[in-house]
Amino acid sequence: MKRAQQSQNQELTMRRSTRLTDKFQKLPDELTIKIFSKLEDDPKTLIRCSTVSKKWASFVFKKTVHLSFIFSCTPEKNRSFPNSKLHSHISSSAIPAIMNAFSNLESIEIKLCRCPSRTPQPPCCQNITKMNVVWTGDDSQADTCLGFDVGLLSTIEGTTLSHVLSEGKKLATLLSSSVMDFYWTMIDHRPKTLRRVVIMSAKMKGFRSGGKVFISYEQFSKLRDSVSKSRVNERWLEDPQNVVHWHRKNTDREHLLQEQVWLVYHWQFILANGKFTTKDLSLKKDDVVELLDGLDAGAAGSDNGTEKRRSQYHQE
Amino acid sequence: MSSSAENPTLTTEITKPSTEIATETAQSAKKINLKTSDDQIFEVEESVAMEFATVKSFFEDAPSSTDTVPLPNVPAKPFSQVIEFCKEQIKFKANPDETEKKKSNSEFVKEKTNEDLVEMIPVANYLEIKDLLDVLNQAVADRIQNRSVEYVRSFFGIDNDFTSEEEALLREEHAWAFEDVDED
């Protein structure tokens, strides 16, 4: 017991003296890098770590192979939106700098939030997207799911939906979306190591709580059959022949036509030998479910979302 | 327990009585002596010691060897905290409950100082306690999240070797990442 006491005193003295010279033992490099791998969904902190020292800069920028983050593209000079921990407002001009700095990136997962707008947006502008880009050399293939909000079921009873989109208009909407913006920046500035990018819309929690009917363009004209006597025709809506996916609102047993109608498309953008082509793909229920799942996981500031993304990545 | 950082001897004192109590209740529980780099001997129950992959393979390689295992890379202070963690972990082996385990893990890191966490990382790595290493790395990542560069430097005890021009350039290139940072 006495000996133990002595050695404990000895240790205390030793600790005190080491503390004076060096606050604590420095971590070996390979262990520091493991900490950085926990920050791959927080590029904001990672980038700040790169300014700690030259060695850290090379670890952060050379060893990071995966990034995932939530952000919204803000206008260049607009700094008035506050940033939260996991959700940054980045002007799109900052993206090339990120791409250049992380020179060994292999995959990126981006959740794009809608930039808060002071002017109300017309219904047809509300859209959700999921784009999955895979590169083989310089060629790429981008599977894109796009959904437009075209109004409530109740509005189709008397007249047709007011926001019927022409084929041309749907493409124009997609091309002007922030997801596409990001896609172009990515194509121009990506590090050569980059093989996979997922870009998708992020929504706040609760997006799924309302009932939603997802239909394809071909099914659109038949939609009025889903409504009879001011009630939703449940059997019609549940038939995959008529509707791609009916996301029921759990609490609403009455179905008073408050379902939002979403027109969904599925394309493939193929970039091969410098030539750009598009191909229409058929749409399955699973595509829509995946889109909805992504929206939930990406709810800004949601800790569950972070954990889910982390574990997803580690399973790969 | 939270005062362990101020008084490193305290945790070793806690460790010892608890193993004694275990002796009384379970006579058969085998003990293993582990010697730290600063020559302290810890008497640890075999089930706890087997959580350390490094110690486990030591016995697998030489089953009938000495009763004291030297741990040349492990100082006593972080080691006593690592033992504390493993004792908790063992409870979940018999009774797996992910929610409780997570809660226990976050309780464990919550009461540790920054210094405690950073000191335990090499120990967990050397002893190959994968779960603990993961918990520690995550805890450190959480603690530097959204903190200033200066805070991170002092957290890890790292000297800035950038010239002020170089640093200014880096900050300018990714200006967004340096905005709205938590106060130190």
Side-chain angles (χ1 to χ4, degrees), chain B residues 5-60:
Chain B
E6 284 74 43
N7 183 357
T9 61
L10 192 64
T11 43
T12 42
E13 277 166 13
I14 291 166
T15 311
K16 283 178 182 171
S18 61
T19 49
E20 274 160 28
I21 292 161
T23 324
E24 284 161 25
T25 50
Q27 291 278 331
S28 58
K30 202 186 149 192
K31 297 280 170 40
I32 288 173
N33 286 330
L34 302 167
K35 193 170 131 193
T36 59
S37 61
D38 38 1
D39 287 332
Q40 288 213 47
I41 293 180
F42 285 79
E43 199 185 50
V44 179
E45 262 182 57
E46 190 183 19
S47 59
V48 176
M50 288 306 124
E51 288 291 292
F52 314 146
T54 312
V55 175
K56 198 177 174 187
S57 59
F58 180 90
F59 280 102
E60 278 164 1

Side-chain angles (χ1 to χ4, degrees), chain A residues 85-100:
Chain A
K85 280 184 183 169
L86 289 169
H87 175 203
S88 308
H89 295 281
I90 310 173
S91 78
S92 49
S93 66
I95 302 299
I98 299 173
M99 301 279 114
N100 290 338

